[in-house]
Amino acid sequence: MEAPTKRVEIIPAKRRALILEHLRINGAASIQELADSIGGSQSTIRRDLEHLMEGGYLERTHGGALLVPPLQATFERESQINAHMQRAQKIAIGVEAALRINNRESVIFEASSTVMEVVRAAALRDLSLTVVTNSLEIAQVSSDVPSWRVIMPGGTIRPGGWRSLWGEPGESFFNTVHADVCVTGAYAVSGNVLTDAALEVASLKRKMIQSSRRTIVVVDSSKFSAPSFSTFCELSAIDELITDDGIRPEHLEALHSYGTKVTVVPMKGTAPR
């Protein structure tokens, strides 16, 4: 007699990200559908839905849930959930973006989950870099690479589990920096502008871009949406935007109309991780 298969428990943040991905693709789903697709008991899925509803991610329906894109300009996903959203796309974008980084360059890595994938991919290459980052997590990963020198600008740690530094003295620090490249994410790409949900985040990103000779923006295709609260730059300020092939044709056409260099990473045959 075969032993029963043991269910592998998924960490809550990943499970909730999978729920949001399922709803993004399908629009709505019952609790039973989500339990079958993602794994976990109905009671666990029900608790996850309550958590996501309280966070403003979705609306509960009778026996299930309906994804409602947040309309608030200052809405921010929880950092742990955000790290698991569009995971395969972020990894593929990170691998492509890491190829843009050259030996002996100084690189500003802004604190975002997609930029983290650029860092992980770059760490596998034989490069000597000077790394400047406001992300405690990126700094930790970078410090494990012997040929990388890591500099943090200082500032105040943001609440809510973001593990990153913002404000002074970091903003003033970037007035004195002349880096080779800045790699940054965006909360939303809307027409000609890149935006973020928090003023302090947008302000520091603006400084990072201004202190760099070239800027690469890394965003998965879900980021082409209504603008968030604060603009940190226009497309004319960046040198390249890297995204995945889930980008809608009208958004790609709009980028080209602004003269933006765009690299679209193919996802066919890419397994989720």
Side-chain angles (χ1 to χ4, degrees):
M1 182 176 179
E2 293 185 4
T5 303
K6 184 178 180 181
R7 184 189 295 272
V8 177
E9 184 65 26
I10 303 174
I11 62 172
K14 183 174 182 178
R15 193 174 57 244
R16 290 162 186 167
L18 290 172
I19 289 171
L20 291 174
E21 283 294 288
H22 185 94
L23 293 173
R24 183 181 67 83
I25 295 169
N26 299 284
S30 68
I31 291 175
Q32 185 61 60
E33 287 174 38
L34 292 169
D36 293 341
S37 173
I38 294 163
S41 66
Q42 289 192 35
S43 60
T44 297
I45 296 298
R46 190 175 291 107
R47 286 193 297 271
D48 287 335
L49 293 178
E50 292 294 338
H51 179 91
L52 292 169
M53 184 184 68
E54 290 173 5
Y57 294 88
L58 49 78
E59 288 183 0
R60 283 294 306 274
T61 63
H62 180 68
L66 174 68
L67 183 66
V68 178
L71 299 178
Q72 302 95 333
T74 55
F75 177 86
E76 290 185 274
R77 294 191 187 109
E78 295 177 35
S79 59
Q80 290 182 325
I81 291 177
N82 188 61
H84 292 287
M85 296 289 291
Q86 301 285 94
R87 180 85 170 119
Q89 289 85 345
K90 290 175 180 178
I91 292 170
I93 291 168
V95 170
E96 181 68 26
L99 299 176
R100 309 295 191 272
I101 299 171
N102 302 309
N103 192 40
R104 299 189 181 282
E105 283 190 321
S106 53
V107 186
I108 297 173
F109 288 125
E110 177 265 329
S112 84
S113 56
T114 309
V115 175
M116 170 58 83
E117 298 306 329
V118 182
V119 174
R120 290 190 173 115
L124 299 177
R125 301 180 62 205
D126 186 18
L127 299 172
S128 295
L129 299 176
T130 296
V131 170
V132 183
T133 184
N134 64 319
S135 165
L136 300 177
E137 190 175 5
I138 288 175
Q140 185 174 22
V141 171
S142 299
S143 66
D144 289 333
V145 184
S147 58
W148 290 9
R149 179 188 180 205
V150 183
I151 300 168
M152 298 198 74
T156 301
I157 298 178
R158 290 190 74 211
W162 290 96
R163 294 176 56 79
S164 54
L165 300 168
W166 306 93
E168 294 293 353
E171 289 200 19
S172 296
F173 168 82
F174 283 106
N175 291 331
T176 68
V177 169
H178 306 279
D180 293 303
V181 59
C182 171
V183 183
T184 182
Y187 200 87
V189 181
S190 313
N192 190 36
V193 298
L194 285 75
T195 60
D196 200 277
L199 276 173
E200 66 273 20
V201 175
S203 180
L204 190 61
K205 286 183 178 183
R206 203 174 298 124
K207 291 285 189 180
M208 290 174 165
I209 291 169
Q210 291 169 353
S211 67
S212 303
R213 292 185 178 89
R214 71 184 198 276
T215 297
I216 299 169
V217 172
V218 289
V219 286
D220 68 72
S221 56
S222 71
K223 297 299 181 69
F224 293 87
S225 61
S228 292
F229 188 65
S230 181
T231 296
F232 62 87
C233 78
E234 295 185 351
L235 288 173
S236 59
I238 72 171
D239 295 273
E240 184 178 8
L241 184 146
I242 303 177
T243 189
D244 62 85
D245 61 7
I247 183 172
R248 291 164 58 178
E250 60 267 32
H251 292 148
L252 185 58
E253 183 179 348
L255 291 173
H256 287 148
S257 72
Y258 290 115
T260 307
K261 180 181 179 182
V262 184
T263 298
V264 178
V265 179
M267 295 302 300
K268 186 177 181 180
T270 302
R273 289 172 57 180

